Coordinates of all heavy atoms in Angstrom, one line a residue:
A162 N 240.4 52.7 165.9 CA 239.8 51.4 166.3 C 238.4 51.6 166.9 O 238.2 52.7 167.4 CB 240.7 50.7 167.2
P163 N 237.6 50.6 166.9 CA 236.3 50.8 167.6 C 236.4 51.2 169.1 O 235.5 51.8 169.6 CB 235.6 49.4 167.5 CG 236.3 48.8 166.2 CD 237.7 49.3 166.2
T164 N 237.6 50.8 169.7 CA 237.8 51.2 171.1 C 238.3 52.6 171.2 O 238.6 53.1 172.3 CB 238.8 50.2 171.7 OG1 240.0 50.2 170.9 CG2 238.2 48.8 171.8
G165 N 238.5 53.3 170.1 CA 239.0 54.7 170.1 C 240.5 54.9 170.0 O 241.0 56.0 169.9
E166 N 241.3 53.8 169.9 CA 242.7 53.9 169.8 C 243.1 54.4 168.4 O 242.5 54.0 167.4 CB 243.4 52.6 170.0 CG 243.2 52.0 171.5 CD 243.7 50.6 171.6 OE1 243.3 49.8 170.8 OE2 244.5 50.4 172.6
V167 N 244.1 55.3 168.3 CA 244.4 56.0 167.1 C 245.7 55.4 166.6 O 246.7 55.2 167.3 CB 244.6 57.5 167.3 CG1 245.1 58.2 166.1 CG2 243.2 58.1 167.7
R168 N 245.8 55.2 165.3 CA 247.0 54.7 164.6 C 247.3 55.8 163.5 O 246.4 56.1 162.7 CB 246.9 53.4 164.0 CG 248.2 52.9 163.2 CD 248.1 51.5 162.8 NE 247.0 51.2 161.9 CZ 246.7 50.0 161.4 NH1 247.4 48.9 161.8 NH2 245.7 49.8 160.6
I169 N 248.5 56.3 163.5 CA 249.0 57.2 162.4 C 249.8 56.5 161.4 O 250.8 55.8 161.8 CB 249.7 58.4 163.0 CG1 248.8 59.2 163.9 CG2 250.3 59.3 161.9 CD1 249.5 60.4 164.6
V170 N 249.5 56.6 160.2 CA 250.2 55.8 159.1 C 250.8 56.7 158.1 O 250.2 57.7 157.7 CB 249.3 54.8 158.4 CG1 250.0 54.0 157.4 CG2 248.6 53.8 159.4
D171 N 252.0 56.4 157.7 CA 252.7 57.2 156.7 C 253.3 56.3 155.7 O 254.0 55.3 156.0 CB 253.9 58.1 157.3 CG 254.3 59.2 156.4 OD1 253.6 60.2 156.2 OD2 255.5 59.0 155.9
Y172 N 253.1 56.6 154.4 CA 253.7 55.8 153.3 C 255.0 56.4 152.9 O 255.1 57.7 152.7 CB 252.8 55.8 152.1 CG 251.3 55.4 152.4 CD1 250.3 56.3 152.1 CD2 251.0 54.1 152.9 CE1 249.0 55.9 152.4 CE2 249.7 53.8 153.2 CZ 248.7 54.6 152.9 OH 247.4 54.3 153.1
K173 N 256.0 55.6 152.7 CA 257.3 56.0 152.1 C 257.6 55.2 150.9 O 257.5 54.0 150.9 CB 258.4 55.8 153.1 CG 258.3 56.5 154.5 CD 258.4 58.0 154.3 CE 258.4 58.7 155.7 NZ 258.5 60.2 155.5
T174 N 257.9 55.9 149.8 CA 258.2 55.1 148.6 C 259.7 54.7 148.4 O 260.1 54.1 147.5 CB 257.8 56.0 147.3 OG1 258.3 57.3 147.5 CG2 256.3 56.0 147.3
G175 N 260.5 55.1 149.4 CA 261.9 54.7 149.5 C 262.0 53.4 150.3 O 261.1 52.7 150.6
K176 N 263.3 53.1 150.6 CA 263.6 51.9 151.4 C 263.7 52.2 152.9 O 263.9 53.4 153.2 CB 264.9 51.3 150.9 CG 264.9 50.8 149.5 CD 266.2 50.3 149.1 CE 266.2 49.7 147.6 NZ 267.6 49.2 147.3
A177 N 263.4 51.2 153.7 CA 263.5 51.4 155.1 C 264.9 51.8 155.5 O 265.9 51.4 154.9 CB 263.1 50.2 155.9
P178 N 265.1 52.7 156.5 CA 266.5 53.1 156.9 C 267.2 52.0 157.6 O 266.6 51.1 158.1 CB 266.2 54.3 157.8 CG 264.8 54.0 158.4 CD 264.1 53.3 157.3
R179 N 268.5 52.2 157.7 CA 269.3 51.3 158.4 C 269.0 51.4 159.9 O 268.5 52.4 160.3 CB 270.8 51.5 158.2 CG 271.2 51.3 156.7 CD 272.7 51.4 156.6 NE 273.2 52.7 156.9 CZ 273.3 53.7 156.1 NH1 272.9 53.6 154.8 NH2 273.8 54.9 156.5
P180 N 269.2 50.4 160.7 CA 268.8 50.4 162.1 C 269.3 51.6 162.9 O 268.6 52.2 163.7 CB 269.4 49.1 162.7 CG 269.5 48.2 161.5 CD 269.8 49.0 160.3
E181 N 270.6 52.1 162.5 CA 271.1 53.2 163.2 C 270.3 54.5 163.0 O 270.5 55.5 163.6 CB 272.6 53.4 163.0 CG 272.9 53.7 161.5 CD 273.3 52.4 160.8 OE1 272.7 51.3 161.1 OE2 274.1 52.4 159.8
Y182 N 269.5 54.5 161.9 CA 268.7 55.7 161.6 C 267.3 55.5 161.9 O 266.5 56.4 161.5 CB 268.9 56.1 160.1 CG 270.3 56.5 159.7 CD1 271.1 55.8 158.8 CD2 270.9 57.6 160.3 CE1 272.4 56.3 158.5 CE2 272.1 58.1 160.0 CZ 272.9 57.4 159.1 OH 274.1 57.8 158.7
A183 N 266.9 54.5 162.5 CA 265.5 54.2 162.7 C 264.8 55.3 163.6 O 263.7 55.7 163.3 CB 265.3 52.9 163.4
E184 N 265.6 55.8 164.6 CA 265.0 56.8 165.4 C 264.7 58.1 164.6 O 263.7 58.8 164.8 CB 265.9 57.2 166.6 CG 265.4 58.2 167.6 CD 266.3 58.4 168.8 OE1 267.3 57.7 168.9 OE2 266.0 59.3 169.5
G185 N 265.6 58.5 163.7 CA 265.4 59.6 162.9 C 264.2 59.5 162.0 O 263.5 60.4 161.8
A186 N 264.0 58.3 161.5 CA 262.9 58.0 160.6 C 261.5 58.2 161.3 O 260.6 58.6 160.8 CB 263.0 56.6 160.0
L187 N 261.5 57.9 162.6 CA 260.3 58.0 163.4 C 260.1 59.4 164.0 O 259.0 59.7 164.5 CB 260.3 57.0 164.6 CG 260.1 55.5 164.2 CD1 260.4 54.6 165.4 CD2 258.6 55.3 163.8
F188 N 261.0 60.3 163.8 CA 260.9 61.6 164.3 C 259.7 62.3 163.7 O 258.9 63.0 164.4 CB 262.1 62.4 164.1 CG 262.0 63.9 164.6 CD1 262.2 64.1 166.0 CD2 261.8 64.9 163.8 CE1 262.1 65.4 166.5 CE2 261.7 66.2 164.3 CZ 261.8 66.5 165.6
Q189 N 259.5 62.2 162.4 CA 258.3 62.8 161.7 C 257.0 62.3 162.3 O 256.1 63.1 162.6 CB 258.4 62.6 160.2 CG 257.1 63.0 159.5 CD 257.1 62.6 158.0 OE1 258.1 62.1 157.5 NE2 256.0 62.7 157.4
M190 N 257.0 61.0 162.6 CA 255.8 60.4 163.1 C 255.5 60.9 164.5 O 254.3 61.2 164.9 CB 255.8 58.9 163.0 CG 256.1 58.4 161.7 SD 254.7 58.8 160.5 CE 253.4 57.7 161.1
T191 N 256.5 61.0 165.3 CA 256.4 61.5 166.7 C 255.9 63.0 166.6 O 255.1 63.4 167.5 CB 257.6 61.4 167.5 OG1 258.2 60.0 167.3 CG2 257.4 61.5 169.0
F192 N 256.4 63.7 165.7 CA 255.9 65.1 165.4 C 254.4 65.1 165.3 O 253.7 65.9 165.9 CB 256.7 65.7 164.2 CG 256.3 67.1 163.8 CD1 257.2 68.1 164.0 CD2 255.1 67.4 163.3 CE1 256.9 69.4 163.7 CE2 254.8 68.7 162.9 CZ 255.7 69.7 163.1
Y193 N 253.9 64.3 164.4 CA 252.5 64.2 164.1 C 251.7 63.8 165.4 O 250.6 64.3 165.7 CB 252.2 63.2 163.0 CG 252.6 63.7 161.7 CD1 253.1 62.8 160.7 CD2 252.4 65.1 161.3 CE1 253.4 63.3 159.5 CE2 252.8 65.5 160.0 CZ 253.3 64.6 159.1 OH 253.7 65.0 157.9
A194 N 252.3 62.8 166.1 CA 251.7 62.4 167.4 C 251.6 63.5 168.4 O 250.6 63.6 169.1 CB 252.4 61.2 168.0
L195 N 252.6 64.3 168.4 CA 252.6 65.5 169.3 C 251.4 66.4 168.9 O 250.7 67.0 169.8 CB 253.9 66.2 169.3 CG 254.0 67.6 169.9 CD1 253.7 67.5 171.4 CD2 255.4 68.2 169.7
V196 N 251.3 66.7 167.6 CA 250.2 67.6 167.2 C 248.8 67.0 167.5 O 247.9 67.7 168.0 CB 250.3 67.9 165.7 CG1 249.1 68.7 165.2 CG2 251.7 68.6 165.3
V197 N 248.7 65.7 167.3 CA 247.4 65.1 167.6 C 247.1 65.1 169.1 O 246.0 65.4 169.5 CB 247.4 63.6 167.1 CG1 246.2 62.9 167.6 CG2 247.4 63.6 165.6
W198 N 248.1 64.9 169.9 CA 247.9 65.0 171.3 C 247.5 66.4 171.8 O 246.6 66.6 172.6 CB 249.2 64.6 172.0 CG 249.2 64.8 173.5 CD1 248.3 64.4 174.4 CD2 250.2 65.5 174.3 NE1 248.7 64.8 175.7 CE2 249.8 65.5 175.6 CE3 251.4 66.2 173.9 CZ2 250.6 66.1 176.6 CZ3 252.2 66.8 174.9 CH2 251.7 66.7 176.3
R199 N 248.2 67.4 171.2 CA 247.9 68.8 171.5 C 246.5 69.2 171.1 O 245.8 70.0 171.7 CB 248.9 69.7 170.9 CG 250.3 69.7 171.7 CD 250.1 70.1 173.1 NE 251.4 70.4 173.8 CZ 251.4 70.8 175.0 NH1 250.3 70.9 175.8 NH2 252.6 71.0 175.6

Side-chain angles (χ1 to χ4, degrees):
T164 55
E166 295 172 309
V167 175
R168 176 173 63 182
I169 296 177
V170 180
D171 194 74
Y172 308 120
K173 301 291 186 185
T174 49
K176 297 180 179 179
R179 298 188 296 274
E181 61 266 32
Y182 292 120
E184 183 176 354
L187 283 169
F188 180 79
Q189 172 187 351
M190 302 300 286
T191 314
F192 180 108
Y193 289 143
L195 169 62
V196 176
V197 170
W198 172 53
R199 285 299 191 182

